[in-house]
Amino acid sequence: MTATLLDGRALAARIEGSLRSEVDTFVTMFHRRPRLVVVLVGDLAASGSYVKSKASAADRVGIDSDVVRVPATATTDELVSLVASIARDEHGPADGILVQLPLPERVDTVAVLDAVPPDRDVDGFHPENAGLLSQGRPRFVPCTAAGVQRMLIDAGIETAGRHAVIVGRSDIVGKPLALLLASRGPGGDATVTICHSRSADLAGVTRQADILVAAVGRPRLVTADMVKPGSAVIDVGINRIVGPDGTAKLVGDVDFDAVREVAGWISPVPGGVGPLTVAMLLANTLLAAELRSSRR
Ligand code: NAD
């Protein structure tokens, strides 16, 4: 059996298509475009390229965006003040504010993220948004988790009553995804297990998964013997490795070639969850603009 490929690029393009017309409606109603402001600290190549792809996706759907660049030497206090000034619209109207991670190690990331007002927190990392999600009344859902759920719904992969195993317990991906898949409604109602670096017998647990999500950041962590035949395998991991020919390439956490012979569905890296993360960010930015404009 060869698994059906879950094409994140194609789905993201369809989502962008409908967002474009929703943005047009917003512009007609409020005579302005939604606007996203991104804070980029330092010159990490990966962060720079993520920010670039977010900005060009925003442009494609008619959302304005701006990148505020800060040197890697910025302190926690400076970054907190910068975010506060963006929230006062001192860098132009900011419906959505996003701080590109990772921040330099000496910076208190939580303090900087907490400075993003919850009603502009398009990454969904603020404790207020995390709390709303955990209570089953989501506002801004973390983009990658939302993208994985959307991928499952779009492919018609049943989640209700199924066993979803998520490997990775981060606040950014694993935990919010667990909450989404366990919540009531479409793309939810699953029985969810979270595995992590201290889990015993990881393969014994993953073999029970009807839906297996890998969100760790370790190439080939998930091998074919860890996968239940016919299951859906979603690969969130992004790892930069150097191949035998010396060229750098991106791989996920799943041993793709072997696992695709066992799984029923599989998402590739690149071209799987990544583009959906960006599409969900655009959706959150439009939502932030709508919430803000309807309050006025
Ligand atoms: P993280 O480092 O915060 O969390 C990694 C998790 O993996 C931890 O919870 C840890 O307990 C678990 N873990 C580590 N080693 C393990 C092991 N041997 N067995 C089981 N669990 C183990 O990472 P994150 O921010 O959640 O990101 C995870 C991966 O997803 C990274 O590769 C990241 O680049 C990628 N990512 C991709 C997207 C996307 O859009 N596709 C978005 C965010 C993150």
Side-chain angles (χ1 to χ4, degrees):
M1 176 171 54
T2 302
T4 302
L5 203 66
L6 296 165
D7 184 344
R9 273 194 198 115
L11 175 55
R14 274 188 278 133
I15 295 169
E16 280 187 15
S18 44
L19 280 173
R20 210 173 302 130
S21 50
E22 288 174 48
V23 169
D24 286 347
T25 307
F26 177 90
V27 173
T28 307
M29 284 177 73
F30 298 109
H31 312 290
R32 68 180 191 90
R33 295 196 169 277
R35 190 161 179 276
L36 171 69
V37 178
V38 178
V39 177
L40 176 59
V41 183
D43 48 16
L44 268 183
S47 295
S49 94
Y50 292 144
V51 166
K52 213 166 147 190
S53 70
K54 288 168 185 175
S56 46
D59 192 46
R60 286 196 296 275
V61 303
I63 291 177
D64 287 339
S65 69
D66 190 20
V67 181
V68 180
R69 287 166 208 276
V70 187
T73 50
T75 63
T76 301
D77 285 350
E78 284 166 349
L79 290 172
V80 167
S81 311
L82 172 65
V83 171
S85 73
I86 294 171
R88 290 191 299 270
D89 290 336
E90 288 173 16
H91 295 255
D95 297 302
I97 301 174
L98 181 155
V99 180
Q100 182 65 43
L101 299 181
L103 295 178
E105 252 174 42
R106 7 157 234 94
V107 170
D108 180 348
T109 299
V110 172
V112 177
L113 292 180
D114 282 359
V116 176
D119 57 350
R120 306 190 198 196
D121 168 37
V122 286
D123 255 341
F125 297 161
H126 191 281
E128 186 175 311
N129 289 315
L132 288 170
L133 175 61
S134 81
Q135 291 186 347
R137 44 191 188 130
R139 179 172 51 190
F140 297 115
V141 176
C143 305
T144 305
V148 170
Q149 188 187 44
R150 189 70 177 260
M151 184 179 246
L152 294 170
I153 294 171
D154 183 74
I157 296 168
E158 184 59 82
T159 51
R162 301 292 165 89
H163 187 187
V165 174
I166 300 167
V167 189
R169 59 178 161 185
S170 72
D171 292 340
I172 292 173
V173 186
K175 273 192 234 164
L177 180 58
L179 288 168
L180 279 182
L181 296 181
S183 66
R184 291 174 197 274
D189 294 315
T191 302
V192 179
T193 301
I194 301 182
C195 296
H196 46 76
S197 52
R198 304 292 301 273
S199 294
D201 188 20
L202 182 64
V205 181
T206 60
R207 271 197 292 272
Q208 297 170 32
D210 301 306
I211 297 160
L212 175 59
V213 182
V216 173
R218 274 202 184 196
R220 290 171 197 248
L221 178 87
V222 175
T223 48
D225 61 317
M226 295 169 71
V227 171
K228 178 174 172 177
S231 60
V233 178
I234 313 290
D235 194 351
V236 176
I238 300 178
N239 307 290
R240 273 155 224 275
I241 60 164
V242 179
D245 58 352
T247 56
K249 64 171 191 165
L250 284 188
V251 297
D253 292 345
V254 174
D255 185 359
F256 184 85
D257 290 336
V259 170
R260 75 182 306 184
E261 300 304 325
V262 180
W265 293 267
I266 189 166
S267 72
V269 177
V273 174
L276 291 177
T277 299
V278 178
M280 294 299 115
L281 171 67
L282 304 177
N284 277 350
T285 305
L286 175 60
L287 173 65
E290 287 167 346
L291 291 174
R292 190 176 192 208
S293 295
S294 59
R295 274 199 305 270
R296 287 191 169 160

